[in-house]
């Protein structure tokens, strides 16, 4: 029995390492670190067991790498342009979509019986946690290479982002005024996540909730909610 159990665990470990290598593009050294990065608090409550601390670190690391990338790519653009581009690149919806595309949803450990998690933004959070794990395991240079080659180059197209109107709220307000609609953005929820305030903002049209989004400040959450509303109303 002991031998069979060890063989099973060994096979699971090899399978996990293989799946992880497919996502990372390299062989990880500290496997336990990546297991933590891929563990949502719905399955592991301890702060040393789930990915919230690594998410906090990865958020800062990705933000720094993107800032560096934009600074070098656009040597003559001002601070406002660079800040807006960074917001377009690393917002919650964007990171969540990228996380799903690179296969993180398949290897993230979370409570599959909680159906709300399957459509939430936890995979974008996992992506940040993974970046935090790479930073600890491989250092900044390797993390920068990974973010650039695995996130920015294949998924973030600069020309499209340059042309994207980030002020979706103004666009939605313009539509509402034109058609005699009452548009409001309401705070639906406010909670603490990893020591930071997380806001859920809803886009309300004539008192009906059309879209909602979460972010660590109300401005970003309302912009994302407006973007989702525009897509749902087929205004884009």
């Amino acid at each position: 029995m002991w031998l069979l159990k060890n063989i099973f665990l060994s096979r699971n470990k090899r399978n996990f390492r293989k799946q992880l290598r497919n996502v990372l593009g390299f062989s990880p050294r500290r496997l336990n670190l990546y297991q933590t990065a891929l563990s949502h608090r719905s399955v592991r409550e301890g702060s040393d067991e789930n990915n919230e601390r690594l998410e906090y670190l990865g958020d800062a690391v990705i933000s720094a790498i993107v800032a560096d990338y934009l600074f070098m790519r656009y040597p003559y653009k001002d601070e406002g342009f660079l800040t807006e581009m960074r917001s377009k690149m690393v917002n919650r919806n964007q990171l969540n979509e990228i996380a799903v595309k690179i296969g993180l949803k398949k290897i993230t450990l979370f409570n599959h019986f909680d159906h709300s998690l399957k459509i939430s933004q936890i995979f974008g959070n996992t992506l940040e946690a993974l970046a935090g794990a790479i930073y600890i395991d491989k250092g900044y240079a390797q993390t920068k290479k990974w973010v650039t080659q695995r996130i920015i180059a294949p998924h973030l197209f600069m020309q499209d982002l340059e042309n994207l109107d980030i002020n979706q709220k103004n666009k939605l307000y313009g539509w509402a005024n034109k058609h005699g609609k009452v548009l409001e953005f309401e705070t639906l929820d406010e909670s603490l996540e990893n020591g930071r305030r997380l806001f859920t903002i809803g886009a309300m049209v004539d008192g009906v909730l059309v879209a909602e989004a979460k972010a660590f400040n109300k401005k970003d959450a309302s912009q994302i909610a407006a973007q989702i509303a525009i897509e749902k109303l087929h205004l884009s």
Side-chain angles (χ1 to χ4, degrees), residues 49-161:
E49 296 179 327
N50 65 46
N51 61 13
E52 289 186 343
R53 281 172 52 83
L54 286 170
E55 177 197 336
Y56 161 80
L57 177 62
D59 176 34
V61 172
I62 290 176
S63 184
I65 291 169
V66 168
D68 180 44
Y69 175 85
L70 292 171
F71 186 83
M72 300 303 293
R73 183 183 176 91
Y74 300 103
Y76 303 109
K77 294 292 186 179
D78 61 20
E79 179 191 3
F81 173 87
L82 298 175
T83 300
E84 185 173 304
M85 283 293 289
R86 183 171 61 181
S87 296
K88 294 175 184 180
M89 292 172 73
V90 298
N91 68 66
R92 289 282 151 192
N93 276 15
Q94 186 80 269
L95 290 180
N96 202 66
E97 287 180 11
I98 293 172
V100 173
K101 285 178 182 177
I102 67 174
L104 283 190
K105 187 174 182 178
K106 296 177 182 177
I107 60 175
T108 297
L109 301 174
F110 66 98
N111 182 2
H112 288 261
F113 294 103
D114 186 341
H115 295 290
S116 64
L117 292 178
K118 293 181 180 180
I119 58 173
S120 71
Q121 296 180 338
I122 67 167
F123 307 110
N125 298 341
T126 302
L127 179 60
E128 291 177 334
L130 191 61
I134 297 170
Y135 174 73
I136 294 173
D137 186 34
K138 298 286 189 175
Y140 180 79
Q142 181 71 29
T143 311
K144 181 180 178 181
K145 181 180 178 181
W146 183 78
V147 169
T148 303
Q149 294 182 352
R150 294 274 171 159
I151 297 177
I152 297 176
H155 300 292
L156 297 170
F157 305 108
M158 294 301 108
Q159 190 169 353
D160 291 344
L161 291 173

Side-chain angles (χ1 to χ4, degrees), residues 152-170:
I152 297 176
H155 300 292
L156 297 170
F157 305 108
M158 294 301 108
Q159 190 169 353
D160 291 344
L161 291 173
E162 286 175 35
N163 296 328
L164 177 66
D165 181 10
I166 195 169
N167 200 339
Q168 303 293 330
K169 285 178 70 175
N170 285 351

Side-chain angles (χ1 to χ4, degrees), residues 14-65:
R14 283 201 303 271
N15 289 338
F16 176 69
R17 188 183 291 274
K18 183 179 179 180
Q19 289 176 317
L20 194 56
R21 189 166 59 243
N22 289 338
V23 171
L24 297 175
F26 61 83
S27 296
R29 285 195 295 250
R30 300 171 59 179
L31 199 61
N32 289 343
L33 184 64
Y34 294 91
Q35 287 174 328
T36 302
L38 294 167
S39 298
H40 186 253
R41 67 180 176 186
S42 62
V43 293
R44 293 183 178 175
E45 294 184 1
S47 60
D48 60 336
E49 296 179 327
N50 65 46
N51 61 13
E52 289 186 343
R53 281 172 52 83
L54 286 170
E55 177 197 336
Y56 161 80
L57 177 62
D59 176 34
V61 172
I62 290 176
S63 184
I65 291 169

